[in-house]
Amino acid sequence: MQLTHPPLSLTVLHTLHSLDIRTLADLHAHGSVETFLLLKAAGLTITRSTLWQLEAMIRGISAQKLQPSEKAALLEKLKQHPPVNVFPPLTEMERFMREALVQAEQSALLGEIPVGAVVVHQNRIIAAAHNTCITGCNISQHAEINALAAAGKALNNYRLDGCDVYITLEPCNMCAGALIQARVQRVIYGAKEPKTGAAGSVTDLFSDIRLNRHTSIKGGILADECSDMLKRFFSNRR
């Protein structure tokens, strides 16, 4: 079933289409709260009435039938929700992830675990780095930390507002904490890390509302390529 005007305003409907949310099934998949936050992230100035309308459509009722307790529960869910953002087109994310893979290859050549990262600001790479823990005799020199340090120097600011970080592997707790503290706008990673991943695999620091809430995250970009590089590296070491 396609979303329509009415009940949605034309502006909301067109923005939902741009977010590839076109049907009631799409709306169900995202939920009313996440969809509402996506609309705001896309630049719309909307009120709570839009949230009520989205929830009512999911339930198959009119917005007027939502009870005060149900609206209060939605507002609490909105308050507790992790950061939401509109991510670049897939082709763009893949382009930058390939640059991170180039960095990961540099790690492998050094005998380091092949993880690479790039920092993107205003659609251009301002920093690129890879793991140097072994060669640097420093456990903190993960690709993400190295990339954040280089980006800070490039912008002359330790805060990286408006920056995206592309990483070939899901960040660990240390790196996730650094990314959050740097107030990176979006983190895009390739392969999941089932042993130490801090973006949902083991822990999820990015969803913890007790921490700074600036960074949204998306995984699975060129996941096979990123995973294959790691598999080849460890297979060769055996």
Side-chain angles (χ1 to χ4, degrees):
M1 179 179 174
Q2 294 289 319
L3 301 178
T4 61
H5 162 74
L8 297 170
S9 73
L10 283 174
T11 303
V12 167
L13 187 63
H14 291 159
T15 306
L16 287 174
H17 284 181
S18 74
L19 297 168
D20 206 24
I21 301 174
R22 299 173 180 273
T23 67
L24 189 57
D26 296 332
L27 182 55
H28 270 281
H30 287 279
S32 60
V33 171
E34 182 177 304
T35 302
F36 180 78
L37 290 171
L38 280 169
L39 288 168
K40 293 187 73 174
L44 284 193
T45 301
I46 49 179
T47 64
R48 294 174 178 177
S49 62
T50 302
L51 177 59
W52 312 150
Q53 186 62 66
L54 293 169
E55 180 65 18
M57 292 178 70
I58 288 174
R59 298 190 188 193
I61 61 175
S62 67
Q64 290 73 24
K65 290 186 177 181
L66 284 176
Q67 299 300 308
S69 60
E70 294 171 321
K71 291 180 178 180
L74 282 172
L75 292 177
E76 182 60 25
K77 191 175 179 181
L78 187 67
K79 181 180 177 182
Q80 300 293 327
H81 202 282
V84 169
N85 215 314
V86 178
F87 283 82
L90 180 60
T91 53
E92 181 178 320
M93 290 191 289
E94 289 180 343
R95 175 166 62 90
F96 287 125
M97 188 61 75
R98 292 192 191 284
E99 294 300 324
L101 279 165
V102 170
Q103 290 297 313
E105 290 174 356
Q106 296 301 310
S107 289
L109 291 173
L110 294 171
E112 303 268 359
I113 295 175
V115 179
V118 298
V119 181
V120 176
H121 182 251
Q122 297 180 350
N123 208 38
R124 68 181 183 89
I125 295 175
I126 61 169
H130 50 268
N131 277 358
T132 56
C133 295
I134 298 171
T135 54
C137 300
N138 187 336
I139 192 59
S140 72
Q141 289 181 355
H142 285 196
E144 301 94 308
I145 303 294
N146 290 339
L148 291 175
K153 290 181 179 178
L155 296 179
N156 197 31
N157 195 335
Y158 73 109
R159 298 292 196 197
L160 301 180
D161 300 290
C163 288
D164 294 339
V165 179
Y166 289 78
I167 316 158
T168 57
L169 184 66
E170 179 183 358
C172 66
N173 282 332
M174 176 180 70
C175 295
L179 291 160
I180 292 168
Q181 289 297 319
R183 298 189 180 181
V184 167
Q185 179 181 0
R186 297 176 294 203
V187 170
I188 300 100
Y189 70 87
K192 285 188 172 294
E193 172 46 281
K195 295 182 179 180
T196 62
S201 291
V202 178
T203 59
D204 192 352
L205 294 187
F206 297 95
S207 293
D208 194 328
I209 64 169
R210 296 169 297 181
L211 304 176
N212 290 338
R213 301 180 65 186
H214 300 278
T215 306
S216 54
I217 189 154
K218 185 178 187 67
I221 305 303
L222 298 184
D224 290 342
E225 290 91 330
C226 295
S227 179
D228 287 346
M229 181 173 292
L230 287 159
K231 289 176 182 176
R232 288 196 303 271
F233 174 79
F234 286 112
S235 176
N236 291 336
R237 290 187 65 174
R238 295 190 193 102

